[in-house]
Amino acid sequence: MRYKVAPREALRVVPLDALTLVYHRASGITHIVDAPVPEILEALTEPLDADDLLAKLSETFDLADADPAALAARLDELAAVGLVERL
Amino acid sequence: MTDARILTEALRDPATVAQLDAAGWTALLAIARAEQLIGTLAHRLAGLPMPSAAARVLEDARASAEQGRIAALWEAEMARRALAPTGMPVILLKGTAYAAAGLAAGTGRAIGDLDILVPRARLEEAEAVLLQAGWEWVKPDPYDDLYYRRWMHELPPLIHRERDRMIDVHHTILPLTARVTPDADALIADSVVLENGLRILAPHDMLCHAAAHLFADGDLAGGLRNLWDIHCLAGEHGIAGVEARAVHHGLEAAVGRALRLADRLYGGGLRYGQGRDRDMLYLRRLLARDDWGRPTRKLTRLGFYVRSHWLRMPPALLAQHLFTKWRKTAAQ
Amino acid sequence: MRHATTLRIGPVGFRVGSDWRAPIAALNDLYRDYPQPDDGIPDFNVHLFAARPWRRVLRPSVHIGGDFVIPDAAPLPLVQGLLAAEMGMNLQMALGQRRYLLLHASAVERDGRALLMTGMSGAGKSTLAALLMAAGWRLMGDEFALLDPVTGLIHGFPRLISLKNEAIGVIERALPRARFGPRLEGTPKGTIRHLVPDARAISVMAEPAAPRLILFPSYGFAAAERAVLPSETFVRLTQASTNYVALAERGFGALTGLVRRVPARALDYPDTATVLEQVERMWSAG
């Protein structure tokens, strides 16, 4: 299964201190997120499956716990709120 | 005496607002809010000279309707994502459909719950998929549930546990207890697909549904908005062939009356058939608001409430329904 | 409706109608120095009505309605009609305000800059605002501060200050010459007495102010202060705003702008004398 992120122009991202605010224009919903969610949204420039996404994230960030199950859980949460869509 | 004609006139001919004084504007805005037509009014009056206090209220109403449009379309999108794996046709109804298709009726319109139509044979499948995707039953009462499943034209309402928004899943456009039974298969077969894969009713079916909803599925509450929808739908697609389609669904009387009333209130001249005496009674009921936007003409209203129950259910069934409700109340 | 009055509070015009004379008479008395709605056209309507015609005279109970309603708002006895009118106006703001982001905060102003105080009810927002007014600050409001998404400025909403229970005596002593409404005993929130804002609060109420400091006061603790992160301020202010979602991206822009620009501090205080010192010190330091 591949994941697609909401288009860049549909998101307004405001980093504050520890957390990041994401306003999703298509839904009108504000999401308050912590790492690695902003990084996931950033990395999904094209639809990817979980393994490819993990590989891409590992290139850019020093992931101490490159755990596919944890990433899958984050992606499920993001799909449930509609920030990413399962294809 | 003030009634809602001040609103229908402003919608029919925006130039009429030039005659309003402060009290007139105050009444117009209050009545438009009460009829959930203030967003529509705001778009209709955009750009006209008016007192700045009124312009401000209408600007807020435009922004509010836009936010409502986004939220409604998002609800439709989330339902689409949930139902997409089933491959079943999902047809948007009412306000969400108008907004999704960019129809004039959707401009500035207040949109409530998400209403969708799916094939009756796939109703349980739709229900299971939605429950999986975060929607929940609103009320767990077994009698009401049974009542819905046996007699209504929809599943008991579901609400999304995160977004707190309701979805009504219909398999036809009138309750099974109503005396007319529109052709649900034809509604689905002739529906029109949108870019994202969701569907809307064919133009004439949309008009038939709006008319059926106005007369058979309520007590005329919200009637002015319904008739504005009908006025816009008729204006956008014309009414050639509408009568034949209405006959096919058994809705010729409802559609005929809806078009006549919409023409009486909003103009346009798109109507068929002769006016009836009862039209005046309907108009009295539809326009019954004071200059605070509060309902007036209580006796006319009560008559319509009893009537609307009567229309939805044959009398014996109504008695049974009321008796069951009464027993439940007494037992508590 | 049989009886009616109109008034403006800050930038917001109201028309209040009632089946009874008394609530309108009370409003006309306490709001006598307030201006009229702009252009004579109110933003919101409030209805105070009897559910059945005979309930106008027989055990009269005041139902609260208006342009925006909640279905199960409990009615109040007629002696609390003034409170019903105030609740009706608050309800219109909470449910219907779409021009300004509604911050559930009290606000005072000095030198054109606004101090916002927010937090759970019971933290003494109203009391604190009244005391600061007594100390020479301009009162902007004890319940709502209105954040303008276009300018980032705070507009005041200086309605009658709603004092509850022990706060009534405290403020009666602090402002012996002020105008007060009747003591309303046995309301859903205990005893309530309304305080009319002073003449300056009313005469300049249309003037907005740039926000300078946000405080989260907590009453009943030893004096203490700590900085509050913008993300925490954002969360606390959205939780206390009834129209954040309705304002959509305008609300997001307004609130992120506010929390990034304006420092916020939590403030614990043991008594009113201490808190006034704490506020003055933080204001000078900020």
Side-chain angles (χ1 to χ4, degrees):
Chain A
M1 182 181 308
R2 290 184 311 147
Y3 296 87
K4 182 181 136 186
V5 75
R8 192 76 4 188
E9 65 274 12
L11 301 178
R12 186 162 157 191
V13 180
V14 176
L16 293 175
D17 48 80
L19 300 173
T20 299
L21 304 178
V22 179
Y23 183 79
H24 184 208
R25 291 192 170 104
S27 65
I29 299 172
T30 302
H31 302 278
I32 302 166
V33 299
D34 198 352
V37 169
E39 292 77 10
I40 291 174
L41 297 177
E42 192 73 32
L44 279 173
T45 46
E46 58 185 334
L48 293 174
D49 66 23
D51 290 340
D52 290 343
L53 177 60
L54 191 61
K56 186 169 178 187
L57 284 169
S58 306
E59 281 169 23
T60 326
F61 302 100
D62 183 22
L63 292 184
D65 57 339
D67 176 6
L71 181 64
R74 295 292 85 72
L75 285 167
D76 282 345
E77 288 161 11
L78 289 172
V81 300
L83 281 175
V84 307
E85 185 183 352
R86 295 189 187 94
L87 293 182
Chain B
M1 199 182 119
T2 307
D3 66 15
R5 198 170 286 277
I6 191 172
L7 169 63
T8 58
E9 283 297 291
L11 290 171
R12 184 183 63 78
D13 178 9
T16 58
V17 301
Q19 302 151 17
L20 296 177
D21 58 8
W25 275 105
T26 302
L28 173 63
L29 297 174
I31 292 169
R33 271 191 184 131
E35 293 288 348
Q36 296 212 52
L37 273 165
I38 193 159
T40 305
L41 180 72
H43 280 275
R44 206 63 189 130
L45 301 186
L48 290 177
M50 65 179 76
S52 61
R56 227 163 51 180
V57 169
L58 292 175
E59 180 54 42
D60 293 347
R62 265 191 295 274
S64 196
E66 174 57 14
Q67 189 263 335
R69 189 185 70 90
I70 287 170
L73 292 180
W74 180 249
E75 247 355 79
E77 168 64 13
M78 289 307 268
R80 182 193 71 76
R81 289 183 191 182
L83 291 163
T86 69
M88 74 174 78
V90 176
I91 297 155
L92 301 174
L93 300 173
K94 301 191 231 176
T96 311
Y98 308 152
L103 297 177
T107 306
R109 191 186 190 277
I111 306 174
D113 304 338
L114 172 61
D115 293 278
I116 61 172
L117 176 73
V118 300
R120 191 172 184 185
R122 307 195 68 174
L123 203 56
E124 286 185 7
E125 190 185 350
E127 181 180 25
V129 167
L130 291 172
L131 288 172
Q132 192 72 37
W135 276 270
E136 296 171 340
W137 301 123
V138 175
K139 46 182 175 183
D141 183 299
Y143 170 73
D144 277 336
D145 203 44
L146 191 66
Y147 164 76
Y148 260 100
R149 284 167 201 272
R150 263 174 78 183
W151 301 115
M152 293 300 281
H153 53 311
E154 61 200 36
L155 289 173
L158 295 162
I159 193 161
H160 194 274
R161 62 169 168 253
E162 299 295 331
R163 296 190 303 279
D164 208 27
R165 301 268 305 197
M166 304 252 283
I167 185 170
D168 283 325
V169 184
H170 305 246
H171 60 80
T172 183
I173 55 173
L174 280 180
L176 299 180
T177 50
R179 275 170 275 179
V180 292
T181 47
D183 182 352
D185 293 338
L187 293 173
I188 292 169
D190 294 344
S191 64
V192 180
V193 70
L194 299 171
E195 213 173 301
N196 62 3
L198 288 169
R199 309 180 77 88
I200 57 171
L201 294 176
H204 290 351
D205 283 339
M206 219 181 253
L207 209 153
C208 288
H209 179 213
H213 181 63
L214 173 62
F215 295 115
D217 197 25
D219 61 348
L220 285 191
L224 292 183
R225 188 181 73 179
N226 250 301
L227 286 167
W228 179 257
D229 290 343
I230 286 163
H231 167 79
C232 292
L233 292 171
E236 207 154 11
H237 297 293
I239 60 163
V242 162
E243 188 171 7
R245 190 64 172 181
V247 169
H248 178 78
H249 289 306
L251 290 166
E252 64 272 25
V255 172
R257 174 165 281 142
L259 287 170
R260 289 197 305 277
L261 292 173
D263 182 41
R264 284 290 280 268
L265 292 170
Y266 303 123
L270 295 167
R271 55 189 284 176
Y272 62 79
Q274 289 301 305
R276 307 284 157 79
D277 291 345
R278 283 187 62 85
D279 287 0
M280 291 313 292
L281 190 61
Y282 280 92
L283 284 175
R284 267 181 63 74
R285 164 65 183 83
L286 286 161
L287 294 171
R289 294 264 177 204
D290 69 8
D291 62 352
W292 292 77
R294 299 186 312 158
T296 55
R297 299 172 193 160
K298 295 255 164 57
L299 274 177
T300 320
R301 278 179 187 270
L302 185 63
F304 274 95
Y305 181 71
V306 172
R307 211 182 135 272
S308 91
H309 262 270
W310 174 267
L311 267 188
R312 281 206 301 213
M313 288 191 206
L317 192 55
L318 177 59
Q320 189 197 340
H321 173 65
L322 293 175
F323 179 67
T324 314
K325 283 269 179 195
W326 173 80
R327 270 201 321 193
K328 273 195 347 172
T329 316
Q332 278 166 7
Chain C
M1 304 202 68
R2 284 170 192 246
H3 308 279
T5 190
T6 52
L7 67 146
R8 180 158 60 79
I9 304 177
V12 186
F14 292 95
R15 177 175 61 155
V16 183
S18 167
D19 282 345
W20 304 269
R21 182 185 309 277
I24 299 302
L27 288 178
N28 282 339
D29 174 34
L30 295 169
Y31 282 105
R32 69 182 182 205
D33 298 322
Y34 281 62
Q36 285 295 299
D38 291 338
D39 302 324
I41 301 170
D43 295 274
F44 299 113
N45 297 283
V46 174
H47 315 153
L48 305 177
F49 62 99
R52 298 276 177 275
W54 59 86
R55 292 301 292 271
R56 208 167 64 76
V57 284
L58 187 71
R59 283 179 290 120
S61 78
V62 183
H63 285 257
I64 303 167
D67 295 329
F68 299 89
V69 293
I70 46 174
D72 44 6
L76 293 173
L78 182 54
V79 291
Q80 296 172 14
L82 172 63
L83 181 60
E86 288 287 313
M87 286 169 68
M89 290 192 280
N90 283 348
L91 197 60
Q92 302 314 304
M93 291 294 283
L95 301 177
Q97 177 57 246
R98 294 290 182 272
R99 195 170 317 141
Y100 306 106
L101 183 69
L102 212 57
L103 302 176
H104 191 217
S106 62
V108 292
E109 174 263 337
R110 182 188 277 171
D111 303 327
R113 313 293 303 274
L115 165 65
L116 303 173
M117 291 164 289
T118 182
M120 303 302 142
S121 57
K125 275 192 328 274
S126 293
T127 318
L128 209 45
L131 288 169
L132 289 168
M133 179 179 86
W137 295 68
R138 191 248 295 195
L139 178 96
M140 296 186 77
D142 76 321
E143 177 79 6
F144 296 129
L146 313 177
L147 175 59
D148 187 334
V150 179
T151 61
L153 298 177
I154 298 292
H155 288 260
F157 188 72
R159 55 164 211 171
L160 301 180
I161 300 168
S162 169
L163 301 169
K164 295 173 199 84
N165 304 316
E166 304 82 56
I168 298 172
V170 173
I171 301 302
E172 284 171 343
R173 285 188 291 280
L175 287 163
R177 313 196 44 188
R179 292 217 304 141
F180 290 90
R183 272 181 86 91
L184 305 171
E185 312 276 358
T187 79
K189 291 185 172 175
T191 303
I192 286 184
R193 191 167 192 197
H194 292 99
L195 163 67
V196 181
D198 63 21
R200 189 160 67 102
I202 297 171
S203 65
V204 298
M205 71 182 187
E207 286 177 23
R212 179 174 182 223
L213 179 63
I214 301 166
L215 293 180
F216 294 94
S218 305
Y219 170 68
F221 300 94
E225 293 150 27
R226 69 173 173 88
V228 177
L229 287 175
S231 57
E232 184 185 344
T233 307
F234 183 90
V235 171
R236 291 174 74 163
L237 289 175
T238 48
Q239 281 170 349
S241 174
T242 52
N243 72 351
Y244 171 75
V245 172
L247 257 66
E249 193 169 354
R250 288 183 301 150
F252 181 82
L255 202 54
T256 49
L258 181 78
V259 302
R260 291 211 286 190
R261 233 171 35 238
V262 181
R265 301 186 70 76
L267 160 68
D268 295 349
Y269 69 98
D271 54 61
T272 53
T274 312
V275 75
L276 290 177
E277 278 171 35
Q278 287 174 291
V279 169
E280 291 289 351
R281 186 159 32 74
M282 280 192 266
W283 183 261
S284 314

